[in-house]
Amino acid sequence: MPLRLPPRTTPVRVLAVLAAVLLAATATACGDAGGLRGAGATPTAAGPARLWPELPPASSPAFEIGEVDRKVMKGVDVPGDDIRTVDPVAVVRTEIAASPGDYQGSKAPYRETARRMAECGRAGDRTRCPVLEPYFRDLTGDGRHELTLGFRLLPGELTAVRVYTVDRHRLMQVMAYDDALSGVEIAGRSVILRAPSEVTGYEYRLQWTWDPEQRAMLLTHDEMLRTGKREDSPRPSVTPSASPR
C-alpha cells in the first residue's frame, strides 16, 4: 500500500524560488539555451465510473474463503515460549494426523508426503524428507520470531506454506496456503508467494501481511504480473485453498 506523507505548509515565496531553481537546473542539465520544450500530449485524467449504482450493496460474503486463519497446533510443545525450539517435523506430523483423508491410504492426494515423513529422522535421507528448511523472522512486530514453514504435498507439485506464532504458550497457526509455487519471499511483515500462471509470460503474486486486529496473516494483495516471455507452465488442476488441507 502506498505510504501517505503528512501534509506540509510551504510559503508561496519559497515555492516560487524552488520553481525557479528547478527550471534553471533542468535547462543546464539538458544543455538547453533556455527555451521551454513541450513534453507531448498529456492524457486526460478520468476518475472511476461507478457501474450499476442501483444494485443494493451486499452485507455478507457469498463464499467462505477463510480470510482469517488461526488454529492452535495441539500437542506441539513450545519450550520457554521460544518458537525456535519447535520441531518443524513434529508440526507437519500434527497436521498430517489431523487430516488422515488427505494423507493416509492409496487414494489420498498427499499419500507420498506421509510415506516420506519417515525420511525426516536422523537415520533417514534428508533429501527425500518433504519438510523444507524453516525460517524464523519477526512478522508481527513484537520483537519475537515467527516460524514460516513449508512442506511438499506429494506426489503432486503443490507446496504447503504455513506461518506460526506463539500465543499464550501455545503454537498458533496464523496462515496456511497450498499452491504450485515458483518462489517464496519474506519482506517486512509480509510473506509473498509467486505461482506460475497458465498465461504465458505472467505469474501470480500473492501477499499475506500481519494484521494486529485479526492477529493473523491476511491476504492483502492478489496480482497477476508480467514476467516476460517463457514457456507455458500450467497451474495444477487442484484448486488452491487459503485454508489448511
Side-chain angles (χ1 to χ4, degrees):
M1 297 183 180
L3 296 176
R4 293 187 176 181
L5 298 178
R8 296 182 180 181
T9 302
T10 306
V12 176
R13 213 179 314 170
V14 175
L15 287 176
V17 173
L18 289 177
V21 172
L22 180 59
L23 286 174
T26 303
T28 302
C30 298
D32 201 326
L36 298 178
R37 294 182 180 181
T42 302
T44 303
R50 184 184 178 189
L51 306 186
W52 308 301
E54 70 278 6
L55 287 178
S59 59
S60 61
F63 306 102
E64 174 61 44
I65 61 175
E67 292 95 338
V68 179
D69 189 349
R70 281 176 58 86
K71 182 176 70 173
V72 176
M73 303 302 292
K74 297 180 180 179
V76 180
D77 295 329
V78 189
D81 286 350
D82 184 355
I83 203 167
R84 292 172 297 183
T85 64
V86 172
D87 181 4
V89 174
V91 176
V92 177
R93 291 189 189 278
T94 297
E95 180 165 332
I96 291 175
S99 304
D102 289 337
Y103 297 94
Q104 304 298 330
S106 60
K107 295 183 178 181
Y110 312 133
R111 57 193 178 278
E112 186 67 13
T113 294
R115 192 177 71 83
R116 289 198 190 183
M117 289 300 294
E119 304 290 350
C120 298
R122 292 184 178 180
D125 182 357
R126 290 292 301 180
T127 62
R128 290 177 54 80
C129 173
V131 182
L132 305 177
E133 178 185 358
Y135 287 88
F136 300 94
R137 298 285 179 85
D138 178 12
L139 295 173
T140 65
D142 63 357
R144 301 187 303 172
H145 286 100
E146 274 64 53
L147 166 62
T148 302
L149 181 62
F151 59 97
R152 303 300 307 278
L153 297 173
L154 304 169
E157 297 296 327
L158 297 180
T159 300
V161 178
R162 308 286 186 261
V163 175
Y164 304 92
T165 190
V166 177
D167 185 353
R168 289 181 289 183
H169 316 297
R170 304 169 301 174
L171 186 67
M172 181 75 71
Q173 178 181 285
V174 293
M175 176 211 155
Y177 189 76
D178 307 334
D179 203 348
L181 300 178
S182 56
V184 181
E185 304 169 358
I186 294 178
R189 305 286 178 259
S190 299
V191 175
I192 302 169
L193 308 184
R194 298 181 182 274
S197 165
E198 66 274 7
V199 181
T200 302
Y202 288 82
E203 70 175 4
Y204 293 100
R205 181 183 183 274
L206 303 100
Q207 177 174 324
W208 275 262
T209 304
W210 173 256
D211 186 283
E213 293 186 5
Q214 300 298 328
R215 300 191 60 77
M217 305 289 289
L218 301 186
L219 180 58
T220 53
H221 291 81
D222 186 352
E223 305 172 289
M224 190 181 208
L225 302 177
R226 184 169 181 81
T227 60
K229 186 177 181 180
R230 59 176 174 78
E231 296 181 359
D232 291 333
S233 181
R235 289 161 68 83
S237 58
V238 179
T239 301
S241 171
S243 58
R245 296 178 180 272

Short mmCIF file of all heavy atoms in Angstrom, two decimals, residues 23-57:
data_model
loop_
_atom_site.label_atom_id
_atom_site.label_comp_id
_atom_site.label_asym_id
_atom_site.label_seq_id
_atom_site.Cartn_x
_atom_site.Cartn_y
_atom_site.Cartn_z
N LEU A 23 13.79 25.01 -12.70
CA LEU A 23 13.82 25.29 -14.13
C LEU A 23 15.24 25.55 -14.61
O LEU A 23 15.66 25.08 -15.66
CB LEU A 23 12.93 26.51 -14.44
CG LEU A 23 11.42 26.27 -14.40
CD1 LEU A 23 10.66 27.58 -14.58
CD2 LEU A 23 11.02 25.27 -15.47
N ALA A 24 16.02 26.30 -13.82
CA ALA A 24 17.40 26.60 -14.21
C ALA A 24 18.24 25.33 -14.25
O ALA A 24 19.03 25.12 -15.16
CB ALA A 24 18.00 27.62 -13.24
N ALA A 25 18.05 24.47 -13.24
CA ALA A 25 18.83 23.23 -13.20
C ALA A 25 18.48 22.32 -14.36
O ALA A 25 19.34 21.68 -14.96
CB ALA A 25 18.58 22.51 -11.86
N THR A 26 17.19 22.29 -14.73
CA THR A 26 16.76 21.43 -15.84
C THR A 26 17.35 21.91 -17.15
O THR A 26 17.83 21.13 -17.97
CB THR A 26 15.21 21.42 -15.92
OG1 THR A 26 14.69 20.98 -14.68
CG2 THR A 26 14.74 20.50 -17.04
N ALA A 27 17.33 23.23 -17.34
CA ALA A 27 17.87 23.78 -18.59
C ALA A 27 19.36 23.53 -18.70
O ALA A 27 19.89 23.18 -19.75
CB ALA A 27 17.58 25.29 -18.66
N THR A 28 20.09 23.68 -17.60
CA THR A 28 21.54 23.47 -17.61
C THR A 28 21.88 22.03 -17.88
O THR A 28 22.78 21.70 -18.65
CB THR A 28 22.14 23.90 -16.25
OG1 THR A 28 21.81 25.27 -16.03
CG2 THR A 28 23.64 23.71 -16.25
N ALA A 29 21.14 21.10 -17.22
CA ALA A 29 21.42 19.67 -17.36
C ALA A 29 21.17 19.21 -18.78
O ALA A 29 21.84 18.31 -19.28
CB ALA A 29 20.56 18.86 -16.38
N CYS A 30 20.20 19.80 -19.48
CA CYS A 30 19.86 19.36 -20.82
C CYS A 30 20.65 20.09 -21.89
O CYS A 30 20.47 19.84 -23.08
CB CYS A 30 18.36 19.55 -21.07
SG CYS A 30 17.33 18.57 -19.95
N GLY A 31 21.49 21.07 -21.50
CA GLY A 31 22.23 21.84 -22.48
C GLY A 31 21.34 22.76 -23.30
O GLY A 31 21.65 23.11 -24.43
N ASP A 32 20.21 23.12 -22.74
CA ASP A 32 19.25 23.96 -23.45
C ASP A 32 19.68 25.42 -23.34
O ASP A 32 20.32 25.84 -22.38
CB ASP A 32 17.86 23.78 -22.81
CG ASP A 32 16.75 24.19 -23.77
OD1 ASP A 32 16.99 25.13 -24.54
OD2 ASP A 32 15.68 23.55 -23.74
N ALA A 33 19.28 26.20 -24.36
CA ALA A 33 19.62 27.63 -24.35
C ALA A 33 18.67 28.42 -23.46
O ALA A 33 18.84 29.61 -23.29
CB ALA A 33 19.57 28.18 -25.78
N GLY A 34 17.69 27.78 -22.91
CA GLY A 34 16.77 28.48 -22.03
C GLY A 34 15.33 28.37 -22.46
O GLY A 34 14.43 28.73 -21.71
N GLY A 35 15.08 27.89 -23.68
CA GLY A 35 13.71 27.78 -24.15
C GLY A 35 13.01 26.55 -23.57
O GLY A 35 13.65 25.55 -23.25
N LEU A 36 11.70 26.65 -23.43
CA LEU A 36 10.92 25.54 -22.91
C LEU A 36 10.58 24.56 -24.03
O LEU A 36 10.40 24.95 -25.18
CB LEU A 36 9.63 26.06 -22.26
CG LEU A 36 9.82 26.99 -21.06
CD1 LEU A 36 8.46 27.47 -20.55
CD2 LEU A 36 10.58 26.27 -19.94
N ARG A 37 10.51 23.30 -23.68
CA ARG A 37 10.17 22.26 -24.65
C ARG A 37 8.90 21.55 -24.20
O ARG A 37 8.72 21.27 -23.02
CB ARG A 37 11.30 21.24 -24.76
CG ARG A 37 12.58 21.79 -25.35
CD ARG A 37 13.61 20.69 -25.47
NE ARG A 37 14.86 21.16 -26.04
CZ ARG A 37 15.92 20.38 -26.25
NH1 ARG A 37 15.86 19.11 -25.91
NH2 ARG A 37 17.01 20.89 -26.78
N GLY A 38 8.06 21.26 -25.16
CA GLY A 38 6.85 20.54 -24.85
C GLY A 38 7.13 19.07 -24.59
O GLY A 38 7.97 18.46 -25.25
N ALA A 39 6.42 18.49 -23.64
CA ALA A 39 6.59 17.07 -23.31
C ALA A 39 5.59 16.19 -24.04
O ALA A 39 5.50 15.00 -23.78
CB ALA A 39 6.44 16.88 -21.80
N GLY A 40 4.83 16.77 -24.93
CA GLY A 40 3.84 15.99 -25.66
C GLY A 40 2.47 16.10 -25.01
O GLY A 40 2.29 16.75 -23.99
N ALA A 41 1.54 15.43 -25.63
CA ALA A 41 0.16 15.48 -25.14
C ALA A 41 0.04 14.76 -23.80
O ALA A 41 0.65 13.71 -23.58
CB ALA A 41 -0.76 14.83 -26.17
N THR A 42 -0.71 15.34 -22.92
CA THR A 42 -0.96 14.74 -21.61
C THR A 42 -2.33 14.07 -21.63
O THR A 42 -3.32 14.70 -22.01
CB THR A 42 -0.95 15.81 -20.51
OG1 THR A 42 0.32 16.47 -20.52
CG2 THR A 42 -1.18 15.18 -19.14
N PRO A 43 -2.38 12.79 -21.26
CA PRO A 43 -3.68 12.12 -21.26
C PRO A 43 -4.64 12.77 -20.27
O PRO A 43 -4.25 13.22 -19.20
CB PRO A 43 -3.34 10.68 -20.85
CG PRO A 43 -2.02 10.76 -20.17
CD PRO A 43 -1.30 11.90 -20.83
N THR A 44 -5.90 12.82 -20.67
CA THR A 44 -6.92 13.41 -19.82
C THR A 44 -7.19 12.52 -18.61
O THR A 44 -7.38 11.31 -18.76
CB THR A 44 -8.22 13.60 -20.60
OG1 THR A 44 -7.95 14.43 -21.75
CG2 THR A 44 -9.29 14.26 -19.74
N ALA A 45 -7.17 13.12 -17.42
CA ALA A 45 -7.43 12.34 -16.21
C ALA A 45 -8.90 11.95 -16.18
O ALA A 45 -9.79 12.74 -16.48
CB ALA A 45 -7.08 13.17 -14.98
N ALA A 46 -9.14 10.69 -15.84
CA ALA A 46 -10.51 10.19 -15.77
C ALA A 46 -10.71 9.48 -14.44
O ALA A 46 -9.96 8.58 -14.09
CB ALA A 46 -10.78 9.24 -16.93
N GLY A 47 -11.70 9.91 -13.70
CA GLY A 47 -11.99 9.28 -12.42
C GLY A 47 -12.74 7.97 -12.62
O GLY A 47 -13.22 7.67 -13.71
N PRO A 48 -12.83 7.15 -11.57
CA PRO A 48 -13.55 5.88 -11.69
C PRO A 48 -15.04 6.11 -11.94
O PRO A 48 -15.64 7.02 -11.37
CB PRO A 48 -13.31 5.21 -10.34
CG PRO A 48 -13.02 6.35 -9.40
CD PRO A 48 -12.32 7.37 -10.22
N ALA A 49 -15.60 5.31 -12.82
CA ALA A 49 -17.03 5.38 -13.12
C ALA A 49 -17.74 4.25 -12.38
O ALA A 49 -17.39 3.08 -12.53
CB ALA A 49 -17.27 5.26 -14.62
N ARG A 50 -18.68 4.59 -11.57
CA ARG A 50 -19.41 3.59 -10.81
C ARG A 50 -20.45 2.91 -11.69
O ARG A 50 -21.27 3.57 -12.32
CB ARG A 50 -20.09 4.23 -9.61
CG ARG A 50 -20.80 3.21 -8.71
CD ARG A 50 -21.54 3.88 -7.58
NE ARG A 50 -22.26 2.90 -6.77
CZ ARG A 50 -23.13 3.20 -5.82
NH1 ARG A 50 -23.37 4.47 -5.54
NH2 ARG A 50 -23.73 2.24 -5.15
N LEU A 51 -20.40 1.59 -11.74
CA LEU A 51 -21.33 0.82 -12.56
C LEU A 51 -22.50 0.31 -11.72
O LEU A 51 -22.33 -0.05 -10.56
CB LEU A 51 -20.61 -0.36 -13.21
CG LEU A 51 -19.35 -0.05 -14.03
CD1 LEU A 51 -18.84 -1.30 -14.71
CD2 LEU A 51 -19.63 1.05 -15.04
N TRP A 52 -23.65 0.28 -12.33
CA TRP A 52 -24.87 -0.26 -11.72
C TRP A 52 -25.11 0.28 -10.30
O TRP A 52 -25.18 -0.48 -9.33
CB TRP A 52 -24.84 -1.78 -11.69
CG TRP A 52 -24.53 -2.35 -13.04
CD1 TRP A 52 -25.25 -2.17 -14.18
CD2 TRP A 52 -23.40 -3.17 -13.39
NE1 TRP A 52 -24.66 -2.83 -15.23
CE2 TRP A 52 -23.52 -3.45 -14.78
CE3 TRP A 52 -22.32 -3.69 -12.70
CZ2 TRP A 52 -22.59 -4.23 -15.46
CZ3 TRP A 52 -21.41 -4.47 -13.37
CH2 TRP A 52 -21.54 -4.73 -14.74
N PRO A 53 -25.23 1.56 -10.16
CA PRO A 53 -25.43 2.15 -8.83
C PRO A 53 -26.74 1.73 -8.17
O PRO A 53 -26.90 1.88 -6.96
CB PRO A 53 -25.40 3.66 -9.09
CG PRO A 53 -25.77 3.80 -10.54
CD PRO A 53 -25.20 2.60 -11.22
N GLU A 54 -27.66 1.18 -8.97
CA GLU A 54 -28.95 0.78 -8.40
C GLU A 54 -28.88 -0.54 -7.65
O GLU A 54 -29.80 -0.92 -6.93
CB GLU A 54 -30.01 0.67 -9.51
CG GLU A 54 -29.82 -0.49 -10.48
CD GLU A 54 -28.82 -0.19 -11.59
OE1 GLU A 54 -28.19 0.89 -11.54
OE2 GLU A 54 -28.68 -1.03 -12.50
N LEU A 55 -27.76 -1.28 -7.83
CA LEU A 55 -27.63 -2.56 -7.13
C LEU A 55 -27.49 -2.33 -5.63
O LEU A 55 -26.68 -1.52 -5.20
CB LEU A 55 -26.41 -3.33 -7.64
CG LEU A 55 -26.50 -3.97 -9.02
CD1 LEU A 55 -25.17 -4.64 -9.37
CD2 LEU A 55 -27.63 -4.98 -9.08
N PRO A 56 -28.24 -3.07 -4.81
CA PRO A 56 -28.09 -2.92 -3.36
C PRO A 56 -26.75 -3.49 -2.90
O PRO A 56 -26.32 -4.54 -3.38
CB PRO A 56 -29.27 -3.73 -2.79
CG PRO A 56 -29.57 -4.73 -3.85
CD PRO A 56 -29.29 -4.05 -5.16
N PRO A 57 -26.04 -2.82 -2.01
CA PRO A 57 -24.74 -3.33 -1.54
C PRO A 57 -24.91 -4.60 -0.73
O PRO A 57 -25.84 -4.74 0.06
CB PRO A 57 -24.21 -2.18 -0.67
CG PRO A 57 -25.43 -1.42 -0.24
CD PRO A 57 -26.41 -1.53 -1.38
#
